[in-house]
Amino acid sequence: MATHPNPAPAPDLAPVDLHYFAPPVALRSYFGSLYRFTVTLPSYRDVTRADAGQLRFMMSGDGHYTFHDGRDVATPEVCLLGPTMGATSFCLDSPSDVWGVSLLPLGWFALDGGDVSRMVDGLADMTVEHGPDYATLLEQLRDIRTDNVESAARIWAFLGSRLQPVSSTRQGVIESVDAWLSDEHSPRVADLVTATGLSDRQVARITNRLYGGPPKLLARKYRALRCAVRIAVDHTPWQELCDSSTFYDQSHFIREIKHFVGLTPHQLMTDPTEVARLTLQRRDMGMAMAEINRIS
């Protein structure tokens, strides 16, 4: 992917930095945190945990993602990244400055309207998917590069104006699934069937379309993310979590954390990467947001 002429982040910034901005009250059911990620190093490699969908604006820099199945894909300047069901590696080939926002299931549906399963562990160019307005916003962000407050306000106003109405029935189903995934214990599919009043098959079809996977896979993903936060942020001994959670044994626990987070429990406790450290600390940022986003 060709680089653009806009300047790289200022050299006085930290080598790797990440700042979060809470969504306005009216948008908290649609989006998680807005963030600005900057890297001043000439190149940088790291890994990100399994996550919800993301919309990212490459203010400067270029690079690529390597998904957990080994596919390597260059990132477009306005990148729609689908939900990931495993840790994803990324490489930046130059100093970079990126605005991004987490798309909660309701936000993805209201913005895109399509089946999210088509985008799992994949990405698309948002200017191709949804027109040139996204490229226009990117240029506006580059023009006001130094003003985070104005940039954040511009992004929220733009996204809010793009949301399509979502039926109360669909919103109710999403709220039920969010609440189910937010359960501190390992969620049981039978509980979700009861909460929604739908059949097993209907529930699976809905979670695939809105979350990118069947209920059992989603339960595994969010169980691993909750455990990772408790290890990295609360410093809970991972052996204690293994014993108190529904894992078969320590080997199973380690494999699940490694698959969904990209690091072993020991690495999370003693030597997390910069991105792991910065993203997992999001829970303690004091931001009011949807519970499903806070636990990751």
Side-chain angles (χ1 to χ4, degrees), residues 192-210:
L192 181 57
V193 170
T194 299
T196 59
L198 302 172
S199 68
D200 287 29
R201 181 174 297 180
Q202 289 172 316
V203 165
R205 186 165 59 247
I206 286 172
T207 60
N208 270 292
R209 180 175 184 184
L210 298 176

Side-chain angles (χ1 to χ4, degrees), residues 25-283:
V25 174
L27 298 181
R28 287 176 186 167
S29 296
Y30 298 90
F31 304 103
S33 53
L34 177 67
Y35 50 89
R36 189 171 187 177
F37 177 61
T38 56
V39 174
T40 62
L41 304 171
S43 64
Y44 183 70
R45 293 178 180 270
D46 211 323
V47 63
T48 62
R49 54 175 172 66
D51 211 340
Q54 306 288 316
L55 176 61
R56 291 173 176 159
F57 297 85
M58 298 291 291
M59 303 264 287
S60 62
D62 62 322
H64 61 270
Y65 296 96
T66 303
F67 296 101
H68 69 91
D69 63 1
R71 286 176 300 111
D72 193 83
V73 186
T75 180
E77 289 191 331
V78 184
C79 178
L80 178 64
L81 184 67
T84 47
M85 297 300 165
T88 302
S89 300
F90 70 91
C91 177
L92 294 169
D93 301 321
S94 58
S96 301
D97 186 357
V98 184
W99 275 101
V101 62
S102 299
L103 305 181
L104 300 182
L106 183 62
W108 183 291
F109 187 76
L111 274 183
D112 181 77
D115 187 336
V116 72
S117 65
R118 69 184 172 87
M119 288 283 293
V120 170
D121 296 311
L123 58 80
D125 185 334
M126 198 63 168
T127 65
V128 174
E129 291 277 312
H130 290 284
D133 289 349
Y134 285 87
T136 299
L137 175 60
L138 174 60
E139 292 307 319
Q140 291 172 352
L141 295 174
R142 288 171 176 167
D143 289 340
I144 54 176
R145 174 181 298 272
T146 59
D147 191 334
N148 281 346
V149 173
E150 173 62 22
S151 296
R154 192 75 61 92
I155 293 170
W156 289 129
F158 175 83
L159 293 177
S161 72
R162 307 284 297 195
L163 295 175
Q164 300 298 311
V166 180
S167 71
S168 58
T169 300
R170 180 56 52 85
Q171 290 189 49
V173 170
I174 291 174
E175 289 171 1
S176 294
V177 179
D178 282 358
W180 176 74
L181 286 172
S182 301
D183 190 331
E184 283 299 319
H185 306 288
S186 183
R188 299 186 312 124
V189 177
D191 294 335
L192 181 57
V193 170
T194 299
T196 59
L198 302 172
S199 68
D200 287 29
R201 181 174 297 180
Q202 289 172 316
V203 165
R205 186 165 59 247
I206 286 172
T207 60
N208 270 292
R209 180 175 184 184
L210 298 176
Y211 293 78
K216 287 184 179 179
L217 176 58
L218 295 174
R220 286 176 54 209
K221 172 181 173 177
Y222 282 93
R223 177 181 63 177
L225 296 179
R226 279 194 299 272
C227 288
V229 170
R230 293 190 62 187
I231 293 168
V233 179
D234 300 334
H235 305 295
T236 303
W238 68 266
Q239 296 89 346
E240 178 183 319
L241 291 174
C242 179
D243 293 339
S244 63
S245 302
T246 55
F247 296 92
Y248 299 127
D249 51 33
Q250 289 191 359
S251 294
H252 179 225
F253 183 88
I254 293 170
R255 286 196 305 272
E256 289 287 279
I257 299 300
K258 176 71 172 179
H259 174 79
F260 288 106
V261 182
L263 301 171
T264 66
H266 180 72
Q267 288 172 317
L268 278 172
M269 180 72 79
T270 63
D271 189 29
T273 67
E274 281 299 297
V275 166
R277 181 181 63 81
L278 292 168
T279 56
L280 290 170
Q281 287 178 348
R282 176 174 58 184
R283 190 201 63 177

